Amino acid sequence: MINTRAASDVRHARTGKDGAFYDEDGRLLATVETFQAKSSWNNAKYTVLGNAQELETANTFAISLTMTQIVIEDDKFISDLFEAMEHQKMPVWNFQGTLLGRNGSEERVTYREVIPSGDIDLQNIGSDVIKRNWSFFVNRPPKLQSKLSIG
């Protein structure tokens, strides 16, 4: 077996129940069913005289966040959004995403200057558990505060 680590470390696999989404002060932000942070990379293409191969170089990147909130009660989060729409002053948030390891280690990433982007559910009522989908854009590079470990 070439990859012996994968078989021996399977006990450290994490599930969504080990994650949480906090505000910048470390308070649980919302009862979140899903949370996803994505980076999108855009490269610039170029060619060099005498070389028929097209090349790429790093150009820009963007970070987006999406989450699905379980609606239990109205919270500060949705209140901020409605107040922003009423006063036409868009909110700017700072968030932390965390994932807890079995050994007490924690992956924690801070997202700063986060603004609403794309579609956000104001009300999404159905016969199942009521959820609110959120979409955000992150205007500052995320910062890895701590990493998971298995040691």
Side-chain angles (χ1 to χ4, degrees):
M1 178 184 267
I2 294 173
N3 185 358
T4 59
R5 186 174 179 156
S8 64
D9 292 339
V10 71
R11 68 189 184 281
H12 293 282
R14 309 311 311 139
T15 66
K17 67 179 176 43
D18 301 304
F21 192 53
Y22 297 94
D23 68 9
E24 65 184 322
D25 297 321
R27 291 184 303 258
L28 188 63
L29 183 62
T31 305
V32 177
E33 181 183 55
T34 64
F35 168 69
Q36 182 178 49
K38 282 185 171 181
S39 63
S40 173
W41 296 84
N42 300 299
N43 294 335
K45 295 182 183 227
Y46 68 97
T47 58
V48 178
L49 287 176
N51 185 351
Q53 182 178 355
E54 185 175 68
L55 306 170
E56 287 189 2
T57 187
N59 191 18
T60 63
F61 71 95
I63 307 295
S64 63
L65 300 176
T66 56
M67 73 169 187
T68 304
Q69 177 185 18
I70 304 295
V71 177
I72 296 173
E73 62 181 349
D74 287 335
D75 53 22
K76 182 179 183 318
F77 202 39
I78 191 68
S79 296
D80 284 353
L81 188 68
F82 273 96
E83 185 175 322
M85 290 186 293
E86 183 178 345
H87 299 333
Q88 296 186 10
K89 184 176 181 203
M90 293 304 112
V92 177
W93 293 292
N94 295 320
F95 300 138
Q96 298 176 36
T98 66
L99 182 59
L100 185 63
R102 289 203 188 277
N103 60 356
S105 68
E106 176 187 66
E107 178 185 83
R108 183 175 291 263
V109 177
T110 301
Y111 305 93
R112 298 201 182 281
E113 295 182 20
V114 179
I115 61 172
S117 179
D119 294 334
I120 295 174
D121 288 344
L122 300 179
Q123 288 187 309
N124 187 357
I125 300 169
S127 61
D128 200 0
V129 173
I130 298 172
K131 302 171 187 174
R132 183 177 286 133
N133 294 304
W134 294 83
S135 298
F136 308 98
F137 189 85
V138 181
N139 281 309
R140 300 238 338 250
K143 182 161 179 65
L144 181 62
Q145 300 290 333
S146 59
K147 298 190 295 185
L148 285 176
S149 67
I150 60 171

Short mmCIF file of all heavy atoms in Angstrom, two decimals, residues 74-126:
data_model
loop_
_atom_site.label_atom_id
_atom_site.label_comp_id
_atom_site.label_asym_id
_atom_site.label_seq_id
_atom_site.Cartn_x
_atom_site.Cartn_y
_atom_site.Cartn_z
N ASP A 74 -36.12 35.11 14.39
CA ASP A 74 -35.41 36.20 13.74
C ASP A 74 -34.26 36.62 14.65
O ASP A 74 -34.41 36.71 15.86
CB ASP A 74 -36.36 37.37 13.48
CG ASP A 74 -37.32 37.06 12.35
OD1 ASP A 74 -36.99 36.22 11.50
OD2 ASP A 74 -38.40 37.67 12.31
N ASP A 75 -33.13 36.85 14.04
CA ASP A 75 -31.93 37.17 14.81
C ASP A 75 -31.33 38.48 14.32
O ASP A 75 -31.85 39.12 13.40
CB ASP A 75 -30.91 36.03 14.72
CG ASP A 75 -30.60 35.63 13.29
OD1 ASP A 75 -30.83 36.45 12.38
OD2 ASP A 75 -30.14 34.51 13.07
N LYS A 76 -30.25 38.89 14.93
CA LYS A 76 -29.58 40.14 14.56
C LYS A 76 -29.16 40.12 13.09
O LYS A 76 -29.17 41.15 12.42
CB LYS A 76 -28.36 40.36 15.46
CG LYS A 76 -27.65 41.67 15.19
CD LYS A 76 -26.46 41.86 16.11
CE LYS A 76 -25.77 43.16 15.93
NZ LYS A 76 -25.55 43.61 14.60
N PHE A 77 -28.83 38.95 12.60
CA PHE A 77 -28.34 38.82 11.24
C PHE A 77 -29.39 39.30 10.23
O PHE A 77 -29.11 40.16 9.39
CB PHE A 77 -27.99 37.36 11.02
CG PHE A 77 -27.03 37.12 9.90
CD1 PHE A 77 -25.97 37.95 9.66
CD2 PHE A 77 -27.18 36.00 9.10
CE1 PHE A 77 -25.09 37.72 8.63
CE2 PHE A 77 -26.30 35.75 8.07
CZ PHE A 77 -25.26 36.61 7.84
N ILE A 78 -30.61 38.78 10.31
CA ILE A 78 -31.65 39.18 9.36
C ILE A 78 -32.09 40.61 9.66
O ILE A 78 -32.43 41.38 8.74
CB ILE A 78 -32.85 38.19 9.34
CG1 ILE A 78 -33.78 38.48 8.16
CG2 ILE A 78 -33.61 38.22 10.64
CD1 ILE A 78 -33.20 38.19 6.80
N SER A 79 -32.06 41.00 10.93
CA SER A 79 -32.40 42.38 11.29
C SER A 79 -31.44 43.36 10.64
O SER A 79 -31.85 44.42 10.15
CB SER A 79 -32.39 42.56 12.81
OG SER A 79 -33.38 41.75 13.39
N ASP A 80 -30.15 43.05 10.65
CA ASP A 80 -29.15 43.90 9.99
C ASP A 80 -29.49 44.09 8.52
O ASP A 80 -29.37 45.19 7.98
CB ASP A 80 -27.75 43.28 10.09
CG ASP A 80 -27.10 43.43 11.44
OD1 ASP A 80 -27.67 44.13 12.32
OD2 ASP A 80 -26.01 42.84 11.64
N LEU A 81 -29.90 43.00 7.86
CA LEU A 81 -30.19 43.06 6.44
C LEU A 81 -31.40 43.94 6.14
O LEU A 81 -31.36 44.79 5.26
CB LEU A 81 -30.40 41.65 5.88
CG LEU A 81 -30.52 41.58 4.37
CD1 LEU A 81 -29.19 41.93 3.71
CD2 LEU A 81 -30.99 40.21 3.93
N PHE A 82 -32.48 43.77 6.91
CA PHE A 82 -33.67 44.58 6.69
C PHE A 82 -33.40 46.05 7.00
O PHE A 82 -33.86 46.94 6.29
CB PHE A 82 -34.85 44.05 7.51
CG PHE A 82 -35.62 42.98 6.80
CD1 PHE A 82 -35.37 41.64 7.04
CD2 PHE A 82 -36.60 43.31 5.87
CE1 PHE A 82 -36.06 40.65 6.38
CE2 PHE A 82 -37.31 42.33 5.20
CZ PHE A 82 -37.04 40.99 5.45
N GLU A 83 -32.66 46.32 8.05
CA GLU A 83 -32.31 47.70 8.39
C GLU A 83 -31.47 48.32 7.27
O GLU A 83 -31.65 49.48 6.91
CB GLU A 83 -31.54 47.74 9.71
CG GLU A 83 -31.25 49.15 10.18
CD GLU A 83 -30.59 49.16 11.54
OE1 GLU A 83 -30.95 48.34 12.39
OE2 GLU A 83 -29.71 50.02 11.74
N ALA A 84 -30.56 47.55 6.71
CA ALA A 84 -29.72 48.05 5.62
C ALA A 84 -30.57 48.41 4.40
O ALA A 84 -30.35 49.45 3.77
CB ALA A 84 -28.69 46.98 5.24
N MET A 85 -31.54 47.58 4.08
CA MET A 85 -32.40 47.87 2.93
C MET A 85 -33.24 49.11 3.19
O MET A 85 -33.41 49.94 2.30
CB MET A 85 -33.29 46.66 2.60
CG MET A 85 -32.50 45.49 2.03
SD MET A 85 -33.55 44.12 1.49
CE MET A 85 -34.22 43.52 3.02
N GLU A 86 -33.74 49.23 4.41
CA GLU A 86 -34.59 50.39 4.73
C GLU A 86 -33.81 51.70 4.67
O GLU A 86 -34.29 52.69 4.14
CB GLU A 86 -35.18 50.21 6.14
CG GLU A 86 -36.11 51.32 6.53
CD GLU A 86 -36.73 51.10 7.90
OE1 GLU A 86 -36.66 49.98 8.43
OE2 GLU A 86 -37.29 52.07 8.44
N HIS A 87 -32.58 51.70 5.18
CA HIS A 87 -31.78 52.93 5.23
C HIS A 87 -30.82 53.06 4.05
O HIS A 87 -30.09 54.03 3.96
CB HIS A 87 -31.00 53.00 6.54
CG HIS A 87 -31.87 53.03 7.76
ND1 HIS A 87 -33.15 53.52 7.76
CD2 HIS A 87 -31.63 52.63 9.02
CE1 HIS A 87 -33.67 53.43 8.97
NE2 HIS A 87 -32.78 52.87 9.75
N GLN A 88 -30.83 52.06 3.19
CA GLN A 88 -29.97 52.02 2.00
C GLN A 88 -28.49 52.20 2.34
O GLN A 88 -27.75 52.87 1.63
CB GLN A 88 -30.44 53.05 0.97
CG GLN A 88 -31.82 52.73 0.45
CD GLN A 88 -32.26 53.62 -0.67
OE1 GLN A 88 -31.49 54.39 -1.22
NE2 GLN A 88 -33.52 53.50 -1.05
N LYS A 89 -28.10 51.58 3.42
CA LYS A 89 -26.69 51.52 3.81
C LYS A 89 -26.37 50.05 4.03
O LYS A 89 -26.77 49.46 5.03
CB LYS A 89 -26.43 52.32 5.08
CG LYS A 89 -24.96 52.34 5.44
CD LYS A 89 -24.67 53.20 6.63
CE LYS A 89 -23.17 53.13 6.87
NZ LYS A 89 -22.83 53.44 8.22
N MET A 90 -25.69 49.45 3.05
CA MET A 90 -25.49 48.02 3.05
C MET A 90 -24.59 47.57 4.20
O MET A 90 -23.64 48.26 4.56
CB MET A 90 -24.90 47.56 1.72
CG MET A 90 -25.86 47.73 0.55
SD MET A 90 -27.45 46.90 0.80
CE MET A 90 -28.57 48.27 0.98
N PRO A 91 -24.90 46.41 4.77
CA PRO A 91 -24.12 45.91 5.90
C PRO A 91 -22.76 45.38 5.46
O PRO A 91 -22.59 44.94 4.32
CB PRO A 91 -24.99 44.78 6.45
CG PRO A 91 -25.76 44.30 5.26
CD PRO A 91 -26.00 45.52 4.42
N VAL A 92 -21.83 45.44 6.38
CA VAL A 92 -20.51 44.83 6.20
C VAL A 92 -20.26 44.00 7.45
O VAL A 92 -20.34 44.51 8.57
CB VAL A 92 -19.40 45.90 6.04
CG1 VAL A 92 -18.04 45.24 5.93
CG2 VAL A 92 -19.68 46.77 4.83
N TRP A 93 -19.99 42.70 7.26
CA TRP A 93 -19.80 41.79 8.39
C TRP A 93 -18.40 41.21 8.38
O TRP A 93 -17.73 41.16 7.35
CB TRP A 93 -20.79 40.63 8.31
CG TRP A 93 -22.22 40.99 8.51
CD1 TRP A 93 -22.82 41.43 9.66
CD2 TRP A 93 -23.28 40.89 7.55
NE1 TRP A 93 -24.16 41.62 9.45
CE2 TRP A 93 -24.47 41.30 8.17
CE3 TRP A 93 -23.32 40.51 6.22
CZ2 TRP A 93 -25.69 41.32 7.52
CZ3 TRP A 93 -24.52 40.54 5.56
CH2 TRP A 93 -25.70 40.94 6.21
N ASN A 94 -18.00 40.70 9.53
CA ASN A 94 -16.80 39.88 9.68
C ASN A 94 -17.25 38.55 10.28
O ASN A 94 -17.98 38.54 11.29
CB ASN A 94 -15.78 40.56 10.60
CG ASN A 94 -15.26 41.84 10.02
OD1 ASN A 94 -15.00 41.94 8.83
ND2 ASN A 94 -15.12 42.85 10.85
N PHE A 95 -16.85 37.45 9.66
CA PHE A 95 -17.28 36.12 10.09
C PHE A 95 -16.09 35.24 10.41
O PHE A 95 -14.98 35.49 9.95
CB PHE A 95 -18.07 35.41 8.98
CG PHE A 95 -19.32 36.12 8.54
CD1 PHE A 95 -19.64 36.19 7.20
CD2 PHE A 95 -20.18 36.69 9.45
CE1 PHE A 95 -20.80 36.81 6.77
CE2 PHE A 95 -21.34 37.33 9.04
CZ PHE A 95 -21.64 37.38 7.70
N GLN A 96 -16.38 34.16 11.14
CA GLN A 96 -15.39 33.11 11.39
C GLN A 96 -16.06 31.77 11.12
O GLN A 96 -17.15 31.52 11.60
CB GLN A 96 -14.93 33.12 12.85
CG GLN A 96 -14.25 34.38 13.29
CD GLN A 96 -13.92 34.33 14.77
OE1 GLN A 96 -13.59 33.29 15.30
NE2 GLN A 96 -14.05 35.46 15.42
N GLY A 97 -15.39 30.94 10.33
CA GLY A 97 -15.84 29.57 10.11
C GLY A 97 -14.92 28.64 10.87
O GLY A 97 -13.70 28.83 10.85
N THR A 98 -15.48 27.66 11.57
CA THR A 98 -14.64 26.75 12.36
C THR A 98 -15.01 25.30 12.09
O THR A 98 -16.13 24.98 11.72
CB THR A 98 -14.80 27.00 13.88
OG1 THR A 98 -16.14 26.67 14.27
CG2 THR A 98 -14.50 28.43 14.24
N LEU A 99 -14.03 24.45 12.28
CA LEU A 99 -14.21 23.00 12.21
C LEU A 99 -13.41 22.39 13.34
O LEU A 99 -12.20 22.61 13.44
CB LEU A 99 -13.74 22.46 10.86
CG LEU A 99 -13.91 20.97 10.63
CD1 LEU A 99 -15.37 20.55 10.74
CD2 LEU A 99 -13.35 20.57 9.28
N LEU A 100 -14.09 21.65 14.22
CA LEU A 100 -13.45 21.07 15.40
C LEU A 100 -12.94 19.67 15.11
O LEU A 100 -13.67 18.84 14.55
CB LEU A 100 -14.46 21.03 16.56
CG LEU A 100 -13.94 20.56 17.90
CD1 LEU A 100 -12.85 21.50 18.42
CD2 LEU A 100 -15.07 20.47 18.90
N GLY A 101 -11.68 19.40 15.45
CA GLY A 101 -11.09 18.08 15.29
C GLY A 101 -11.36 17.20 16.50
O GLY A 101 -11.70 17.69 17.58
N ARG A 102 -11.20 15.90 16.36
CA ARG A 102 -11.44 14.96 17.46
C ARG A 102 -10.50 15.18 18.64
O ARG A 102 -10.85 14.92 19.77
CB ARG A 102 -11.27 13.52 16.97
CG ARG A 102 -12.36 13.06 16.07
CD ARG A 102 -12.45 11.53 16.09
NE ARG A 102 -13.36 11.06 15.09
CZ ARG A 102 -14.68 11.00 15.26
NH1 ARG A 102 -15.20 11.42 16.37
NH2 ARG A 102 -15.44 10.54 14.29
N ASN A 103 -9.31 15.67 18.37
CA ASN A 103 -8.32 15.84 19.42
C ASN A 103 -8.35 17.23 20.04
O ASN A 103 -7.45 17.63 20.76
CB ASN A 103 -6.92 15.56 18.87
CG ASN A 103 -6.57 16.49 17.73
OD1 ASN A 103 -7.37 17.30 17.30
ND2 ASN A 103 -5.35 16.36 17.23
N GLY A 104 -9.39 18.01 19.75
CA GLY A 104 -9.49 19.35 20.29
C GLY A 104 -8.86 20.42 19.41
O GLY A 104 -8.99 21.61 19.69
N SER A 105 -8.15 20.02 18.35
CA SER A 105 -7.61 21.02 17.43
C SER A 105 -8.77 21.66 16.67
O SER A 105 -9.88 21.12 16.63
CB SER A 105 -6.60 20.40 16.47
OG SER A 105 -7.24 19.52 15.57
N GLU A 106 -8.53 22.80 16.08
CA GLU A 106 -9.59 23.52 15.41
C GLU A 106 -9.06 24.22 14.18
O GLU A 106 -8.00 24.84 14.23
CB GLU A 106 -10.17 24.57 16.37
CG GLU A 106 -11.22 25.45 15.77
CD GLU A 106 -11.63 26.56 16.71
OE1 GLU A 106 -10.79 27.44 17.00
OE2 GLU A 106 -12.77 26.53 17.18
N GLU A 107 -9.79 24.10 13.07
CA GLU A 107 -9.51 24.93 11.91
C GLU A 107 -10.43 26.14 12.03
O GLU A 107 -11.64 26.02 12.15
CB GLU A 107 -9.83 24.18 10.62
CG GLU A 107 -9.59 25.04 9.38
CD GLU A 107 -10.01 24.33 8.12
OE1 GLU A 107 -11.22 24.37 7.80
OE2 GLU A 107 -9.14 23.72 7.48
N ARG A 108 -9.83 27.33 12.04
CA ARG A 108 -10.60 28.58 12.16
C ARG A 108 -10.13 29.54 11.08
O ARG A 108 -8.94 29.81 10.96
CB ARG A 108 -10.43 29.21 13.53
CG ARG A 108 -11.27 30.47 13.72
CD ARG A 108 -11.16 30.99 15.15
NE ARG A 108 -11.81 30.09 16.08
CZ ARG A 108 -13.04 30.24 16.55
NH1 ARG A 108 -13.77 31.27 16.15
NH2 ARG A 108 -13.55 29.37 17.39
N VAL A 109 -11.08 30.03 10.27
CA VAL A 109 -10.77 30.97 9.20
C VAL A 109 -11.62 32.22 9.44
O VAL A 109 -12.82 32.13 9.70
CB VAL A 109 -11.10 30.37 7.81
CG1 VAL A 109 -10.84 31.38 6.71
CG2 VAL A 109 -10.28 29.10 7.58
N THR A 110 -10.97 33.38 9.35
CA THR A 110 -11.66 34.66 9.50
C THR A 110 -11.89 35.28 8.13
O THR A 110 -10.99 35.31 7.30
CB THR A 110 -10.83 35.63 10.37
OG1 THR A 110 -10.62 35.02 11.64
CG2 THR A 110 -11.54 36.95 10.56
N TYR A 111 -13.11 35.74 7.91
CA TYR A 111 -13.50 36.41 6.66
C TYR A 111 -13.89 37.84 7.03
O TYR A 111 -14.77 38.05 7.86
CB TYR A 111 -14.69 35.69 6.02
CG TYR A 111 -14.43 34.23 5.78
CD1 TYR A 111 -14.78 33.27 6.73
CD2 TYR A 111 -13.79 33.81 4.62
CE1 TYR A 111 -14.52 31.93 6.51
CE2 TYR A 111 -13.53 32.46 4.40
CZ TYR A 111 -13.90 31.54 5.35
OH TYR A 111 -13.64 30.21 5.14
N ARG A 112 -13.23 38.83 6.41
CA ARG A 112 -13.46 40.23 6.77
C ARG A 112 -14.06 41.01 5.59
O ARG A 112 -13.84 40.67 4.44
CB ARG A 112 -12.16 40.88 7.19
CG ARG A 112 -11.56 40.23 8.42
CD ARG A 112 -10.58 41.15 9.12
NE ARG A 112 -9.98 40.51 10.26
CZ ARG A 112 -10.55 40.36 11.44
NH1 ARG A 112 -11.76 40.81 11.64
NH2 ARG A 112 -9.93 39.76 12.43
N GLU A 113 -14.78 42.05 5.95
CA GLU A 113 -15.45 42.92 4.98
C GLU A 113 -16.33 42.12 4.04
O GLU A 113 -16.21 42.17 2.82
CB GLU A 113 -14.43 43.78 4.22
CG GLU A 113 -13.70 44.75 5.11
CD GLU A 113 -12.73 45.65 4.36
OE1 GLU A 113 -12.87 45.80 3.13
OE2 GLU A 113 -11.83 46.19 5.01
N VAL A 114 -17.24 41.37 4.63
CA VAL A 114 -18.17 40.50 3.91
C VAL A 114 -19.46 41.27 3.65
O VAL A 114 -20.02 41.88 4.57
CB VAL A 114 -18.46 39.23 4.73
CG1 VAL A 114 -19.43 38.33 4.01
CG2 VAL A 114 -17.16 38.49 5.05
N ILE A 115 -19.89 41.27 2.39
CA ILE A 115 -21.11 41.98 2.02
C ILE A 115 -22.08 41.03 1.33
O ILE A 115 -21.67 40.02 0.76
CB ILE A 115 -20.79 43.18 1.09
CG1 ILE A 115 -20.15 42.71 -0.21
CG2 ILE A 115 -19.91 44.20 1.81
CD1 ILE A 115 -19.99 43.81 -1.26
N PRO A 116 -23.38 41.34 1.37
CA PRO A 116 -24.35 40.52 0.64
C PRO A 116 -24.05 40.55 -0.85
O PRO A 116 -23.63 41.57 -1.39
CB PRO A 116 -25.69 41.20 0.93
CG PRO A 116 -25.46 42.07 2.10
CD PRO A 116 -24.01 42.45 2.09
N SER A 117 -24.23 39.42 -1.51
CA SER A 117 -23.99 39.33 -2.95
C SER A 117 -24.88 38.25 -3.53
O SER A 117 -24.95 37.15 -3.00
CB SER A 117 -22.52 38.98 -3.20
OG SER A 117 -22.25 38.87 -4.58
N GLY A 118 -25.56 38.56 -4.60
CA GLY A 118 -26.43 37.56 -5.21
C GLY A 118 -27.75 37.46 -4.46
O GLY A 118 -28.20 38.40 -3.81
N ASP A 119 -28.38 36.30 -4.53
CA ASP A 119 -29.70 36.09 -3.95
C ASP A 119 -29.62 35.77 -2.46
O ASP A 119 -28.76 34.98 -2.03
CB ASP A 119 -30.42 34.95 -4.66
CG ASP A 119 -30.73 35.26 -6.11
OD1 ASP A 119 -30.86 36.46 -6.42
OD2 ASP A 119 -30.84 34.32 -6.90
N ILE A 120 -30.52 36.35 -1.69
CA ILE A 120 -30.67 36.07 -0.26
C ILE A 120 -32.16 35.86 -0.01
O ILE A 120 -32.99 36.68 -0.41
CB ILE A 120 -30.13 37.22 0.61
CG1 ILE A 120 -28.62 37.36 0.41
CG2 ILE A 120 -30.47 36.99 2.08
CD1 ILE A 120 -28.00 38.54 1.10
N ASP A 121 -32.50 34.77 0.66
CA ASP A 121 -33.90 34.50 0.99
C ASP A 121 -34.36 35.42 2.12
O ASP A 121 -33.79 35.40 3.20
CB ASP A 121 -34.09 33.05 1.46
CG ASP A 121 -33.96 32.05 0.35
OD1 ASP A 121 -34.02 32.45 -0.83
OD2 ASP A 121 -33.80 30.85 0.66
N LEU A 122 -35.39 36.22 1.84
CA LEU A 122 -36.00 37.01 2.90
C LEU A 122 -37.02 36.13 3.64
O LEU A 122 -37.06 36.11 4.85
CB LEU A 122 -36.66 38.26 2.33
CG LEU A 122 -35.71 39.20 1.60
CD1 LEU A 122 -36.47 40.39 1.04
CD2 LEU A 122 -34.58 39.64 2.50
N GLN A 123 -37.83 35.42 2.88
CA GLN A 123 -38.72 34.40 3.41
C GLN A 123 -38.72 33.25 2.42
O GLN A 123 -38.80 33.48 1.21
CB GLN A 123 -40.14 34.92 3.59
CG GLN A 123 -40.30 35.89 4.74
CD GLN A 123 -41.77 36.22 4.96
OE1 GLN A 123 -42.48 36.58 4.03
NE2 GLN A 123 -42.21 36.10 6.20
N ASN A 124 -38.63 32.05 2.92
CA ASN A 124 -38.61 30.85 2.08
C ASN A 124 -39.41 29.80 2.83
O ASN A 124 -38.86 29.03 3.61
CB ASN A 124 -37.17 30.41 1.85
CG ASN A 124 -37.07 29.27 0.86
OD1 ASN A 124 -38.07 28.75 0.38
ND2 ASN A 124 -35.85 28.86 0.56
N ILE A 125 -40.70 29.78 2.61
CA ILE A 125 -41.60 28.96 3.41
C ILE A 125 -42.08 27.77 2.58
O ILE A 125 -42.51 27.94 1.44
CB ILE A 125 -42.80 29.79 3.91
CG1 ILE A 125 -42.27 30.95 4.77
CG2 ILE A 125 -43.79 28.93 4.68
CD1 ILE A 125 -43.30 31.99 5.11
N GLY A 126 -41.97 26.59 3.15
CA GLY A 126 -42.43 25.38 2.50
C GLY A 126 -42.96 24.42 3.56
O GLY A 126 -43.06 24.77 4.73
#
